[in-house]
Amino acid sequence: MKYLFSVFILFSSLTFAENKMMPLEEFIMQFEEPSAGDGVYMSYRCYGLYTMMYALLLTAPQDEAKETLKDLELAQLDLLYVAERFYNMVTKEEDRDFENNIMFSIEPMAQNYQKSANESWTNTGSYFSKFISSDLKFCKTFVEGFNLDGKN
């Protein structure tokens, strides 16, 4: 049953990623108590967002961009840890392939964030649309909520 649920979550996340993504804050409000599958989805979405942000800032000339890149790298490491824990909760041990799963899942999400950032740049001159800013705020809180300084 958990295997079917994890397959459902994977395809649901890809469907979300292929269609217009709703802000993560709206996504989480749909549930009285988010499940481990929801945790996988939110982790992957945040990882996809941070991947897009990293790509944008990689060539930025501003000095503060280098510090932000370091922060994004650390946040991505934390998200990998969190995502794998959620993934392991919903996937039978013999069916696990976390590395392949996350890489396959986040790419379309990162591409949708990139598309949104490009549209925002075209329309406003800023990559940070309301949608991206909202998800960045959500993801920061999401990652910080796990207090991963002393990972097990």
Side-chain angles (χ1 to χ4, degrees), residues 3 59 97 102 116 118 129 140 142:
Y3 174 72
T59 58
D97 186 3
I102 192 169
S116 178
N118 291 344
S129 64
K140 183 177 188 307
F142 181 73

Side-chain angles (χ1 to χ4, degrees), residues 50 136-146:
Y50 287 175
L136 280 169
K137 182 180 175 185
F138 178 92
C139 290
K140 183 177 188 307
T141 303
F142 181 73
V143 172
E144 289 174 350
F146 290 97

Side-chain angles (χ1 to χ4, degrees), residues 1 14-15 21 29 42 45 55 78 81 104 111 113:
M1 182 68 165
L14 294 176
T15 300
M21 296 186 295
M29 297 305 289
M42 291 181 291
R45 278 276 302 268
D78 287 345
Y81 178 78
F104 178 77
Q111 288 174 352
Y113 279 119

Side-chain angles (χ1 to χ4, degrees), residues 17-88:
E18 291 171 0
N19 298 319
K20 186 145 178 87
M21 296 186 295
M22 73 171 55
L24 283 167
E25 191 170 341
E26 286 180 32
F27 174 78
I28 194 73
M29 297 305 289
Q30 297 178 95
F31 308 103
E32 189 172 311
E33 187 172 320
S35 68
D38 300 325
V40 171
Y41 178 74
M42 291 181 291
S43 300
Y44 284 14
R45 278 276 302 268
C46 291
Y47 196 92
L49 175 60
Y50 287 175
T51 298
M52 183 277 298
M53 293 298 303
Y54 192 89
L56 279 178
L57 293 172
L58 202 53
T59 58
Q62 298 87 352
D63 290 334
E64 59 269 7
K66 288 181 174 73
E67 189 62 36
T68 303
L69 286 171
K70 289 178 188 174
D71 292 343
L72 285 171
E73 288 172 358
L74 292 173
Q76 285 179 308
L77 289 173
D78 287 345
L79 280 167
L80 281 175
Y81 178 78
V82 170
E84 187 170 21
R85 290 185 70 190
F86 281 130
Y87 174 84
N88 288 343

